Amino acid sequence: MRVTIAEVARRARVSKTTVSRVLNNKGDVDATTAIRVREVIAATGYTPSAGAVGLARGRTQTVGMLVPGLTWPWMGDVLQGVADVLEARGYGLLLNTMNRGPDSLAQFARHVSANAFDGLLLVEPPDTLSYITSLHESGLPVVMIDDRGHHPGFPSVATSNHDGAAEAAAHLLATGRTSIAMVTGPTEFGCVRDRAAGLRTHLASTDHPLDPGLLVEGDFTRGGGQAAVSDLLTRDIPFDAVFAHNDLMAVGVLDGLRAAGRAVPEDVAVIGFDDISIAAHTQPALTTVRQPSREMGEAAATMLLDNLTGTALPDAPHVVPTSLVVRESAPA
C-alpha cells in the first residue's frame, strides 16, 4: 500500500502542513522536527505525487484542453499529438468537451476556479470565445489549435488551408480538368474561407476561373456532400472535377456521382481535404489534401509547455503545411 503524507505526519507526530514544508525546504520548521520528519520519510519510503509537488510549487503539471467534441474525424490525431508531447515532458492532460453545452462549460469553469491546470489548449467550441478571452487576458496561457474564426488575440497553431486548396486546383488543372466545382464547409469557419480563397485565387490566375454556378455550401458531412453533388447535377453546368472542403463531404460526392452514373475519375475527378483514415479505403481511393492534425497537436502542446517554462508565446500563428496525397479519385 502506498504511504501517504498523512501516515508520515502521524509517525513523525506533526501536521501534514509541517511535512509539506519539510518536503519543499521551507525554512520555518524547527531543525529537530525536520530531521525527525526526514527520518520517517526515509524509513517508510514515502514519495510525494507529482500533482502534490506541483501544487506546492504553484504548478499542477497538468494542461487543460477544451474541444467541441470527439466525433470530428481528425480530433483523435490532434489529441494523440498533444498527449505524446505532454507525456514526454511529464505533464498530464485534463480534457474537457462541450458535449452537454452549458453543463459542460460549467464543469470546465469549476476546473478553472480550482486551478486544475497550468495552461489551456483550445479547439474553439461554439459560444465560449468571450469566456476564454477573459481567461487569457487574466493571465492563463492559451494556445488555440485550428483557429477557425481567425482570432489574432490568441497564440495559435494552424495549417496552410489556402495553399492546400491552391495545390488541389493546380493538380486538377495539370491533369486536364477545366471545369472545377467546389463544395465548401459552413462559411463562418476561417478554414472554409481560406480554402475557398485558395481555390478561387489559383483558378483566377488561369483561363479557368471558378464558375459561380459550380459553388455549393455544404455542412462537412457525408450526406451534405451527396446532397451538394446532386444539386450540382441539376444545374445543367458541366463540370469534370469537384474539390470538397473535407473528406467526409468528398466521400458523399463519390456516393452522389456513383448514384448518378458518373464514373470517377473518368468523368469527374474528386479531391477532399484532411486525409482521414477512410480516404485511403474509398472506391476509388480518395485524393486529398493532408491536414497535419497530429503535428498541429504536437506543435501546440510544445508551444504551451515552452511558455510555462519561460518562453514567450509568438504573436504570429505557427503554420504546419499541408500536402497533397494523390490517389485514384484524381490521379496524376
Side-chain angles (χ1 to χ4, degrees):
M1 182 179 296
R2 179 187 173 93
V3 178
T4 66
I5 193 172
E7 177 65 12
V8 172
R10 185 187 68 79
R11 294 192 185 196
R13 302 186 303 280
V14 297
S15 69
K16 289 189 293 184
T17 299
T18 298
V19 176
S20 178
R21 289 182 177 279
V22 172
L23 287 167
N24 289 283
N25 297 312
K26 301 293 185 181
D28 54 354
V29 179
D30 175 76
T32 301
T33 301
I35 290 171
R36 187 168 71 250
V37 169
R38 293 191 185 283
E39 287 175 345
V40 172
I41 289 172
T44 59
Y46 170 75
T47 55
S49 68
V53 172
L55 287 170
R57 297 176 181 171
R59 289 283 177 87
T60 66
Q61 292 296 112
T62 299
V63 165
M65 188 166 183
L66 182 62
V67 302
L70 300 178
T71 57
W72 293 2
W74 51 269
M75 188 65 74
D77 286 337
V78 171
L79 288 173
Q80 189 62 61
V82 168
D84 287 347
V85 171
L86 296 186
E87 182 177 349
R89 293 177 61 170
Y91 277 75
L93 176 65
L94 180 60
L95 179 63
N96 298 262
T97 70
M98 288 293 292
N99 291 329
R100 296 180 293 117
D103 290 341
S104 295
L105 186 58
Q107 182 179 36
F108 172 71
R110 288 193 291 270
H111 291 154
V112 173
S113 299
N115 296 317
F117 47 81
D118 301 329
L120 179 66
L121 297 171
L122 175 70
V123 179
E124 184 193 343
D127 305 320
T128 62
L129 179 60
S130 60
Y131 178 56
I132 300 301
T133 300
S134 69
L135 295 179
H136 183 54
E137 291 175 347
S138 69
L140 180 70
V142 177
V143 174
M144 184 175 285
I145 302 171
D146 185 36
D147 181 7
R148 295 176 294 136
H150 286 186
H151 306 304
F154 287 103
S156 64
V157 172
T159 191
S160 51
N161 289 293
H162 183 284
D163 293 348
E167 187 176 10
H171 176 75
L172 289 170
L173 293 173
T175 58
R177 311 294 168 160
T178 59
S179 185
I180 300 171
M182 178 163 59
V183 181
T184 76
T187 54
E188 65 266 24
F189 292 155
C191 63
V192 168
R193 297 193 293 273
D194 285 347
R195 292 171 194 178
L199 187 89
R200 285 179 183 276
T201 300
H202 189 85
L203 294 182
S205 68
T206 72
D207 294 330
H208 308 288
L210 180 68
D211 187 323
L214 293 180
L215 176 65
V216 181
E217 181 176 338
D219 60 2
F220 281 149
T221 69
R222 182 172 183 168
Q226 186 168 4
V229 80
S230 296
D231 185 3
L232 287 168
L233 291 169
T234 65
R235 297 185 182 186
D236 201 30
I237 304 175
F239 59 93
D240 55 13
V242 178
F243 170 57
H245 277 203
N246 77 342
D247 287 345
L248 284 181
M249 289 195 301
V251 174
V253 168
L254 293 177
D255 294 339
L257 291 170
R258 186 180 303 111
R262 301 290 183 94
V264 177
E266 293 80 4
D267 299 329
V268 182
V270 178
I271 295 183
F273 204 110
D274 284 338
D275 196 28
I276 61 175
S277 57
I278 194 176
H281 304 289
T282 57
Q283 292 296 325
L286 183 64
T287 294
T288 184
V289 179
R290 179 179 179 269
Q291 179 169 230
S293 302
R294 186 164 183 161
E295 292 90 332
M296 290 167 68
E298 292 172 348
T302 299
M303 186 187 298
L304 183 62
L305 295 189
D306 287 350
N307 177 247
L308 294 176
T309 56
T311 302
L313 289 168
D315 295 328
H318 176 83
V319 178
V320 185
T322 58
S323 56
L324 184 67
V325 180
V326 177
R327 299 190 180 102
E328 289 83 358
S329 70

